[in-house]
Amino acid sequence: MLKFLKQVGDYTKEAFQAGKYIGQGLSVTFDHMRRRPITVQYPYEKLILSERFRGRIHFEFDKCISCEVCVRVCPINLPVVDWEFNKESKKKQLKHYSIDFGVCIFCGNCVEYCPTNCLSMTEEYELSTYDRHELNYDSVALGRLPYKVTNDPMVTPLREFAYLPKGVTDPHDLPAGSRRSGLRPEEILDKEPKA
Ligand code: SF4
Ligand code: SF4
């Protein structure tokens, strides 16, 4: 009889514990139901990237003076600057320029140091190919400007979720002037104690 009662007691204890764990699991599920969605229905929806996003590099052939600063500041000496010395004008003449994005780490050093600003970082990140050699962009490919997310009629652009105002879960059709929940970079700097 005592053995039976002990078995009933153990069973009841385990049933309570199982109920407790199910409750804990469901509390996480219900908590997520109140959170803002973080899913982007790519490729039908795309995020508008930050202004400082470092995507595929854009190159302006006519502005390049073949100084090779971009090669020297690149951590892997990646840009290939192919030039000839023009004896008549006594200047370097650019023949070809290429960057292999299969190797580039998108650090932006070349863009930062180029003296003529002929390099810039674009918002293009969709660079996948079946053959990595196709990632070696020549000056023609580098000169192409990417299609902006906001101009693409096939895509619904979404504001970055971090920039949504507090309590807003749907990033579409936000009223003009709505403020994001977090602090802006300049506000964070203002809060820091002055040295
Ligand atoms: S640093 Fe700029 S101007 Fe100089 S070679 Fe590179 S891309 Fe051309
Ligand atoms: S972004 Fe960085 S790694 Fe890529 S080419 Fe420029 S300097 Fe080199």
Side-chain angles (χ1 to χ4, degrees):
M1 184 66 183
L2 270 177
K3 194 178 168 195
F4 173 74
L5 284 175
K6 187 172 176 306
Q7 279 178 340
V8 171
D10 288 347
Y11 180 80
T12 315
K13 202 168 136 195
E14 281 169 19
F16 268 118
Q17 271 191 336
K20 186 177 135 199
Y21 294 142
I22 290 170
Q24 280 176 348
L26 282 176
S27 71
V28 174
T29 308
F30 289 132
D31 188 44
H32 274 267
M33 286 170 76
R34 289 188 296 116
R35 295 184 193 183
R36 60 172 62 161
I38 55 164
T39 319
V40 176
Q41 302 298 327
Y42 181 88
Y44 309 108
E45 293 179 344
K46 288 181 190 173
L47 289 177
I48 300 169
L49 297 168
S50 127
E51 279 177 24
R52 297 190 179 191
F53 180 78
R54 298 202 297 260
R56 196 261 298 165
I57 292 167
H58 176 256
F59 172 68
E60 290 173 77
F61 193 93
D62 295 340
K63 280 166 96 179
C64 179
I65 54 172
S66 312
C67 64
E68 295 186 72
V69 165
C70 52
V71 186
R72 288 199 291 278
V73 296
C74 175
I76 41 181
N77 297 350
L78 185 60
V80 177
V81 189
D82 181 15
W83 54 269
E84 269 180 9
F85 189 72
N86 187 325
K87 287 181 184 161
E88 282 176 20
S89 63
K90 293 194 171 56
K91 281 182 180 170
K92 289 174 175 176
Q93 193 173 353
L94 184 65
K95 294 286 173 192
H96 302 284
Y97 187 93
S98 64
I99 295 177
D100 188 347
F101 291 112
V103 187
C104 176
I105 56 170
F106 299 90
C107 64
N109 271 4
C110 53
V111 176
E112 202 67 35
Y113 287 94
C114 173
T116 59
N117 289 334
C118 60
L119 296 170
S120 54
M121 309 224 71
T122 68
E123 59 183 54
E124 186 176 346
Y125 55 85
E126 292 154 320
L127 299 172
S128 52
T129 57
Y130 285 106
D131 180 359
R132 67 175 302 156
H133 296 106
E134 288 175 17
L135 292 170
N136 194 357
Y137 279 37
D138 63 5
S139 42
V140 177
L142 286 170
R144 185 178 51 79
L145 276 169
Y147 214 58
K148 282 183 100 57
V149 172
T150 41
N151 292 344
D152 192 342
M154 306 287 285
V155 170
T156 306
L158 302 182
R159 292 175 73 183
E160 278 185 276
F161 289 108
Y163 284 78
L164 285 177
K166 197 173 184 183
V168 174
T169 51
D170 187 354
H172 303 281
D173 303 325
L174 277 172
S178 20
R179 206 178 179 294
R180 72 173 188 169
S181 52
L183 293 176
R184 305 195 74 82
E186 61 269 20
E187 290 168 335
I188 293 170
L189 284 177
D190 280 348
K191 278 190 146 217
E192 282 185 357
K194 301 272 183 298

